Amino acid sequence: MSVEMAPAATAPEIPLVEVRELRQWFPVGGGLLRKHDMLRAVDDVSFTIAKGEVLGLVGESGSGKSTLGRAILRMTQPTGGQILFDGRDLTKLGRRALRPLRPRMQFIFQDPFASLNPRMTVRQIVGAPLVIQRPELNAAARDARIAEVLGTVGLSMQYAGRYPHEFSGGQRQRIGIARALILEPGFLVADEPVSALDVSIQAQIVNLLIEVRRKLGVAMLFISHDLAVVGHLCDRVAVMYLGRIVEIAPTRALFRQPRHPYTEALFSAVPVPDPTIRRDRIILRGDVPSPLKPPSGCAFRGRCRYALPECAAAIPLLRQVEGGHWKRCIRDDLVLGRPGKRGAVEEM
Amino acid sequence: MSSAAAIESVETARTVKPGSRAWRRFCRHRLALFGIAAIVLMVLASVVGPWLIPFDQLKIDIRHRFAPPPWEGHLFGTDMLGRDLLVRLLMAGRISLSIGFLAMIVSTAFGTFIGVTAGYYGGAIRVALMRFVDAMLCFPSIFLLLILAAFIQPSVATITLIIAATSWMEVARVVEGQVRSLRERDFILAAEMIGAPGRYVMLRELLPNAIGPIVVAATLTVARAVLMEAYVSFLGYGIQAPMASWGNMLNNAQQYLGSAPWLAIFPGLMITLSVASFNFVGDGLRDALDARLDLR
Amino acid sequence: MSTGDIVLEVENLSVTFATESGPLQAVRDVSFTLRAGETLALVGESGSGKSVTSLAIMRLTPPAPLVTLAGSVLFTGADGERRDLLALDLDGMRAVRGNEISMIFQEPMTSLNPVHRIGDQIAEAITFHERVSNRVALARAAELLDKVGIPDARRRLSAYPHHLSGGMRQRVMIAMALACNPRVLIADEPTTALDVTVQAQILELMKELQQATGMAVIFVTHNLGVVAEVADRVMVMYAGAIVEKGGVVPVMTRPLMPYTQGLLHSVPRLDPESLGRDTLEAIPGSVPDPLSLPPGCSFAPRCRHVRPACEAAVPALEAADDGHDVRCRRWRKLAEAGA
Ligand SMILES: Nc1ncnc2c1ncn2[C@@H]1O[C@H](COP(=O)(O)OP(=O)(O)OP(=O)(O)O)[C@@H](O)[C@H]1O
Ligand SMILES: Nc1ncnc2c1ncn2[C@@H]1O[C@H](COP(=O)(O)OP(=O)(O)OP(=O)(O)O)[C@@H](O)[C@H]1O
Ligand code: SF4
Ligand code: SF4
Ligand SMILES: [Mg+2]
Ligand SMILES: [Mg+2]
């Protein structure tokens, strides 16, 4: 595999998280007589996240976003590569050795129904990290901290004795965020934290996350398929396609001028809630390829309207095209469309 | 926090607790209610009854052998030694029900331990433990029971242990299945993410969510244990005379089936009633605690 | 804008479920009309009654003691005859269902039978309503698959649902729904489970098919972007009732109901100019419990324009403009102040 540098923000300071050529492959199929195939859910992914930085991760369903997020927090054992957290390689640590590091990195789940233990009260759920990581705290000190963090997420101690089923989806998501924040982590992975929520509740939770990062300075990997939300919340955005990062850039740069044809198509496909704008859409032909049998060369080749015969030759490298703007596409002659106002036509 | 303040004002708490809903579902189960009533009655009668009846269970009274019920205060008649059948039935109930409950406690504890361990750790540990469970299940348990009973001095404690040793597998299987399905749930992952040790995850997160199936399996285990005790004692390997258990009362009644059928009928009825009651309650609990009905 | 004949007239439709905790009125007094060739979008958040409305029109809600239907659903068939679907018997309804009115569901995997080949499933949908041989039906199925943009359609007839991607399965569902040239297509969140790039393909396809066949579409969604994309008219539901209804341009550019306004404002925009770390304008609170709705305006607990009068009685659905209805006691005042 190609050795690539990790795309980083322009600032040279030591990153909080550095992911190097991370791979997470899953054996699938296989049987007594047949050798199993390898599903390359995440393949050679490299990037960095600075202290307090929010990196957005977008991409097609099945492109490996959740797998990547889970691998970084070592919910799984990666197949290869390194995850440097504050300089320490997490892939080398076992369950027990990871335990003291857990308070510094937390996960926010997508499904607010499945991620809270139905048999525990809010106090027990939010307080569990303290019970485990700070056994020296007494009940009063623990309650004080629980009250504080519930306040941060917009709930009050009045709810502490209730069970998850007594709350709405948005409130449950707040409880999940409170649990993630109570140990004051420096790094959060949020896996589509708003996509299971109602439209009118999504904005509340996005606001909460904006406030959390502003007040607490937490670094975040924010996984989403909603480009608009990512644009709102993130400093930089990485776009994944079939297990690899195909483009990564500062948010503004990416939104002004996407450099990869997939990113362009993605922007163009987002429906905009304004009926007076009729855009000429890029409609992708073809189907999303299977991660079990990725096409040779550029994985986007089958759906790319700019594809050339050369695209089939080798997997394009992730190259820097501008300060901090990287893309995995061999063509530099393309002028790709901007999102939003693209081809705006006034109706009537 | 502007949005937060407003959240407080709009609370959508639903007042129905899952517990009360389960209780309502249970109450709709007629047979289960009947079962509960019968069990409570049997337990109460066995505990208190012998004190209220003016006969001693061991008091032999040759003059009144085979008195058919009801006979001069012997409500259920007397047996071949002239002992009051009712008081013996109640004393036997103490023994049989205690064995049932104790065997249930031991086998549920052990089965739960095996099930949670196998389900939580998975991998080779799971394979090894569940193979063991399967092997035990393959072996006809009555057979095993009889072999063990033939070698061990029978007493309440040993019979209990022997029965428990052959009844924990069902619990283990049920618990393992439940834990394995819970294992992949996000809230268990969340516990792992805060660095919770295995003990914490098993005891605090997994076990409370497996209580429903455990309770159901435990109830059914009591029924099974009562039946097993009766079986072993009936064959003469269980509780030994002069102590009475429903099983050995049946055993003793065999020879007099024609002349004194009540000696067999009453213990037989007690066994049937208790086994059926526990099974009814188990079914009722299964429906009431079905977690799927509680989710939204 | 399309102004075909009226094909569907829903009048005062109410749907009440009998639940353990008492009667739950999931749809309250909903009325609307649908014309041939037009797309009516049904928006609202989870639990607002969008699916129940669609299911009630199809008479697919659970049977009588569990669910009470009130009102009428007048459907004009291809023969020009007007029938009240709620008054039809089951056989009469079966003749309409899948033939004159079709439905596409959100989750294509659960609505396709996993053990049957997709060709057979589509063919069955055809032979159910028309007397044709299996061979003819299969040929029609291949045609339909081709029409919904599945390449190599003839060979795909023998594929099983799990051989297909999510987008392809949704195409198959559409092909099935179109098998008998329905006059009305009800699509319940047909793209919610799909990626945006695939969603774009499906929306495009549905638009093309609608233009070709002139069918009317009820499009259920909670995505306002999709509404702007596909709808001619919009109906916003909140807690089981219509709170705003009208042409897509007036409703989305000059919404009158505070809930609609809030929804539109809370959606983050894509264009690079509006990026920033500013907080979004969220609607506070959450949807009321359908079992204990507030008296008066059901949006009142979350509304920033609320006055005591709002909580006194349920506001009526008033005509604000030509074909633009709104259910808000204060819409006139708010429109004057806001404009
Ligand atoms: N444990 C596993 N075993 C086998 N394959 C897996 C496993 N987990 C994920 N995959 C596969 O890896 C690929 C990436 O999945 P992942 O869930 O990371 O995608 P995603 O980008 O998060 O998608 P979505 O947007 O739908 O959440 C998929 O093809 C998925 O089927
Ligand atoms: N079978 C049922 N029994 C009882 N209540 C039901 C039933 N089906 C739906 N409901 C209730 O009816 C209301 C409306 O539900 P509906 O499914 O129409 O919402 P929706 O607008 O389609 O939401 P979503 O966006 O989540 O699909 C909800 O409060 C729901 O709880
Ligand atoms: S490398 Fe070729 S196929 Fe891939 S994105 Fe670039 S132009 Fe398209
Ligand atoms: S009626 Fe009152 S509470 Fe309801 S939307 Fe209008 S202003 Fe708000
Ligand atoms: Mg995911
Ligand atoms: Mg719905």
Side-chain angles (χ1 to χ4, degrees), chain C residues 9 54 71 84 95 126 140 147 154 156 166 168 182 193 195 198 262 319:
Chain C
E9 234 178 316
S54 332
D84 182 359
I126 298 171
R140 280 261 297 279
K147 204 151 102 185
R154 205 155 278 283
R156 297 282 184 156
M168 295 265 249
D195 278 312
V198 183

Side-chain angles (χ1 to χ4, degrees), chain B residues 21-215:
Chain B
R21 238 191 285 174
W23 175 241
R24 242 187 295 160
R25 279 199 295 266
F26 185 80
C27 288
R28 242 182 271 149
H29 220 280
R30 290 274 157 74
L31 284 175
L33 286 181
F34 164 79
I36 284 274
I39 291 167
V40 169
L41 214 67
M42 277 189 290
V43 170
L44 269 181
S46 307
V47 173
V48 189
W51 282 318
L52 304 180
I53 298 171
F55 300 104
D56 185 277
Q57 63 143 338
L58 298 178
K59 171 89 185 309
I60 296 175
D61 180 357
I62 304 294
R63 276 174 308 149
H64 291 118
R65 293 170 67 207
F66 299 117
W71 182 274
E72 290 179 13
H74 296 291
L75 216 50
F76 282 28
T78 61
D79 66 3
M80 51 283 180
L81 297 177
R83 296 174 294 198
D84 181 63
L85 193 64
L86 178 57
V87 86
R88 274 188 71 75
L89 217 46
L90 296 179
M91 289 307 286
R94 286 189 184 178
I95 303 293
S96 294
L97 290 175
S98 314
I99 290 179
F101 280 112
L102 288 175
M104 176 270 282
I105 291 171
V106 175
S107 63
T108 304
F110 188 67
T112 303
F113 173 74
I114 296 290
V116 170
T117 312
Y120 175 74
Y121 287 105
I125 294 182
R126 183 184 103 77
V127 171
L129 287 176
M130 294 325 280
R131 284 273 154 79
F132 178 48
V133 169
D134 288 340
M136 289 289 292
L137 275 174
C138 283
F139 214 82
S141 53
I142 286 296
F143 205 60
L144 191 70
L145 205 68
L146 291 180
I147 294 176
L148 285 173
F151 287 106
I152 295 170
Q153 183 65 35
S155 72
V156 172
T158 54
I159 295 291
T160 301
L161 285 179
I162 291 171
I163 292 177
T166 59
S167 346
W168 58 272
M169 293 83 75
E170 202 46 49
V171 179
R173 276 237 290 232
V174 167
V175 172
E176 192 270 340
Q178 178 78 1
V179 166
R180 190 146 48 104
S181 78
L182 287 169
R183 187 79 178 83
E184 299 306 316
R185 295 275 285 277
D186 279 352
F187 68 84
I188 299 296
L189 270 179
E192 305 273 349
M193 286 313 295
I194 56 179
R199 191 169 30 87
Y200 176 94
V201 177
M202 284 188 267
L203 289 180
R204 294 299 311 280
E205 306 271 356
L206 289 170
L207 205 51
N209 284 287
I211 283 296
I214 292 177
V215 168

Side-chain angles (χ1 to χ4, degrees), chain A residues 95 99 117 133 162 211, chain B residues 1 11 192 194-195 205 209:
Chain A
R95 238 178 85 102
R99 210 169 283 161
N117 189 335
Q133 295 285 355
R162 300 206 185 157
E211 219 165 280
Chain B
M1 185 129 298
E11 176 37 8
E192 305 273 349
I194 56 179
E205 306 271 356
N209 284 287

